[in-house]
Every structure is written in C-alpha cells, then in structure tokens.
Amino acid sequence: MTEAFSLHPQLAADTVPVGDLPLVRVLLAKDANYPWLILVPRWPGLTEIIDLPDTEQTRLLGEVAAVSRALKAVTACDKLNVAAIGNVVAQLHVHVVARRRDDIAWPKPVWGAVPPVPYQPEARDALMTALRAALPFKS
Amino acid sequence: MTEAFSLHPQLAADTVPVGDLPLVRVLLAKDANYPWLILVPRWPGLTEIIDLPDTEQTRLLGEVAAVSRALKAVTACDKLNVAAIGNVVAQLHVHVVARRRDDIAWPKPVWGAVPPVPYQPEARDALMTALRAALPFKS
C-alpha cells in the first residue's frame, strides 16, 4: 500500500480527536447540541462500507457497536443514530449520535438540522474523559 | 420467545416488500425520488443495532452489505447512504439509499428533504425485478 491514510480536512476542522481503536479514529463533532461521534477507518481510499474487505467490515461493525454502547452508557440517551452518508465528505466515516427526545432537532436527523453550537470546554472535557474511560483506545 | 415479529404499521404503509433474507425483510420505500431500501430484522422488540447479539449484528451487516452491492449494481448510483436512525419509528430498521449527484435532494440526506413522489408502476416493477435477480431472497 503506497498511499497513506490522512483525515479529510473538513472532518479534521469539524471535530476533535478522542482516540484510536484498532481500525477507526474516533472524533467528537464540535457541536454541543448532541454528543456526536464520527468513526473514520484509518485506511486510504475508502468511500463506502463495502469498499472494505468483509473481515474489516466486521471489525468496523464491532467498533461501531463498542462506541455505541459507550456513548449510550455515558449519555443515557434515548436513541442512537448510526449512519454512513458521505455525500459532502466522501471519505468513509460513520456517525454515531446520542439523541434525546428533548434535543433541539428531535425527531429530525441531525445533518443540516440546526447550526452547530460550540462546547463549553468543561463539558467537552468531561465527555471526552468519560468516553476514554469507557473505550479501549490505544495509548 | 413468546412475542412474534410484526412490521411497524408506518413502515408497512410507506413501503412495498421486496423479499426476505435470512435475518431481514427488505422493503422498497414508496418514493421514486431515489431507490430507497429499508431492511428490518425479523426479531421482535429491537430498537438499536446493539440490541442484537453480536453474531446477529454480523449477520445484519452481511445482509446490509449484500443489499448495498446489489443496489449499487442495479442503479449505478454515485453514493450509498446507510443509516439506522429510528427517531420516529423505533422498530430497528436500516436505510440503504442509492444517491445520485443529480437527485432532487443531493447532497442533503433524504429524510425529510422533499415530499415522496409515487412510482410509475413499470419503473417500480423493473427495479424490484432487478433487485430480486441480484439478491438471494427466500422463495
């Protein structure tokens, strides 16, 4: 493999890194409206889930599930929204969003619903700390 | 298991059945704006992907991937959108939508973007026939 993985600049601009699992980089969206994680497989040239070999698709699912369980436990959310869309940023990335029935966009999907709201640093750090305690990130 | 699977009435109203794979029922959304399939695991009481045991999550992923490959082959779409949202209808269902850069909502996600457009019966039947030829549905 001659091409190296690099995070799309738009994803880099819109998120802060939480940590790396064996396959994916976990990012937190800079949007305090909802706890919103984005998982990016660290392989170059991916657009669709089905671009990955079957074994790596299964690994991706396992990491999506682990992140889903952690996010649900940490936020006590009412619903998870899990999606691979990629119409704007083609680099394969999977959204895992913790939704509450009283969040600003409920029941609409989050994409394009309302403008992002910056985090208070303390709130963001508390969420990051809780997620890092709940997930086996590489150190 | 005492409770039987039954399809949520809203999903039943908004779709036509295409066929059953080992785990999921595949439905076609009644919206000619985009080829839009919805996969519903035929287990009662599911809301989240992580409500399924790990082995069944892997089976679900395999069926989502098979449907994704078939839909991409049949439609020659530019992008797949794959999502489990469920804010309105809680019964676990996975959307697999074939998107084109010239479709009416591009690049926005399809949910709530524009009102559904009824299919011409011939167009719908042609799509169903092509999908049934591409996927190993139970007879």
Side-chain angles (χ1 to χ4, degrees), chain A residues 84-104:
Chain A
I85 301 176
N87 301 343
V88 177
V89 173
Q91 181 176 53
L92 177 60
H93 59 287
V94 180
H95 303 268
V96 182
V97 191
R99 304 298 306 273
R100 299 189 68 91
R101 291 191 190 90
D102 61 359
D103 74 36
I104 192 167

Side-chain angles (χ1 to χ4, degrees), chain A residues 36 38-39 47-49 81-95 97 109-112, chain B residues 78-85 95 97 99 106-111:
Chain A
W36 180 346
I38 297 175
L39 282 61
T47 300
E48 305 285 0
I49 294 170
N81 292 172
V82 177
I85 301 176
N87 301 343
V88 177
V89 173
Q91 181 176 53
L92 177 60
H93 59 287
V94 180
H95 303 268
V97 191
V110 295
W111 304 279
Chain B
D78 296 311
K79 189 71 191 70
L80 294 165
N81 291 172
V82 177
I85 300 177
H95 302 268
V97 191
R99 303 298 307 274
W106 183 269
K108 288 186 292 191
V110 295
W111 305 280

